[in-house]
């Protein structure tokens, strides 16, 4: 089982400073501790949330690497997707794959 952190920021300056991504990873690490998980892979990128997850360079890499029982921790829904249809399709796909998806503000959704 691999536990992934996925952080996304669409603002270039914040991404380069690491401010938003830094707070995302800190909160996700705290969440992981509460769930008795350890983040193995940290993935972060600077891209619009309107871009479908699988069309993002890092999102595509994660999708190619996922195996049954892997887990993805993301700060909140808007960091994973700002497109409702894309989000619903991702959740459905993760369920079929046996991948658990967590958001720090609402918990596990798959």
């Amino acid at each position: 089982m691999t536990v992934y952190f996925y952080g996304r920021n669409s603002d270039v300056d914040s991404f380069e400073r690491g401010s938003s991504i830094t707070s995302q990873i800190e909160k996700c690490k705290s969440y992981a501790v509460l769930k008795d998980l350890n983040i193995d892979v940290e993935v972060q990128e600077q891209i619009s949330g309107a871009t479908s997850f699988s069309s993002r360079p890092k999102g595509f890499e994660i999708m190619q690497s996922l195996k049954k029982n892997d887990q993805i921790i993301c700060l909140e829904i808007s960091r994973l997707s700002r497109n409702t249809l894309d989000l619903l399709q991702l959740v459905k796909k993760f369920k079929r794959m046996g991948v658990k998806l967590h958001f720090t503000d609402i918990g596990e959704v798959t």
Side-chain angles (χ1 to χ4, degrees), residues 14 25-26 30-31 35-38 54 63 67 75 81 84 103 107:
S14 293
I25 187 68
E26 287 171 2
S30 295
Y31 175 89
K35 298 295 182 180
D36 200 28
L37 299 170
N38 185 46
S54 298
M63 295 302 290
K67 313 174 291 309
L75 179 67
S81 181
T84 305
F103 297 106

Side-chain angles (χ1 to χ4, degrees), residues 4 6-9 15 42-65 80:
Y4 295 85
Y6 179 77
R8 182 197 61 78
N9 190 316
F15 182 77
E42 294 179 16
V43 178
Q44 47 189 282
E45 63 186 335
Q46 186 273 311
I47 194 163
S48 170
T51 304
S52 71
F53 188 76
S54 298
S55 296
R56 301 175 195 167
K58 299 292 184 177
F60 181 78
E61 286 178 23
I62 290 174
M63 295 302 290
Q64 297 302 305
S65 302
L80 189 69

Side-chain angles (χ1 to χ4, degrees), residues 4 6 52-54 56 58-74 77 80-81 86-103 108-110:
Y4 295 85
Y6 179 77
S52 71
F53 188 76
S54 298
R56 301 175 195 167
K58 299 292 184 177
F60 181 78
E61 286 178 23
I62 290 174
M63 295 302 290
Q64 297 302 305
S65 302
L66 287 174
K67 313 174 291 309
K68 185 175 182 169
N69 297 320
D70 283 353
Q71 303 197 39
I72 300 172
I73 301 174
C74 193
I77 290 173
L80 189 69
S81 181
D86 181 52
L87 178 65
L88 292 172
Q89 290 172 336
L90 272 174
V91 169
K92 186 176 180 179
K93 185 174 217 170
F94 290 156
K95 278 185 157 190
R96 273 187 279 141
M97 295 172 68
V99 171
K100 293 183 180 179
L101 176 61
H102 302 259
F103 297 106
E108 183 182 332
V109 297
T110 55

Side-chain angles (χ1 to χ4, degrees), residues 5 14 17-28 44:
F5 156 76
S14 293
R17 284 193 314 269
S19 58
S20 179
I21 296 293
T22 300
S23 64
Q24 288 179 50
I25 187 68
E26 287 171 2
K27 290 175 183 174
C28 288
Q44 47 189 282

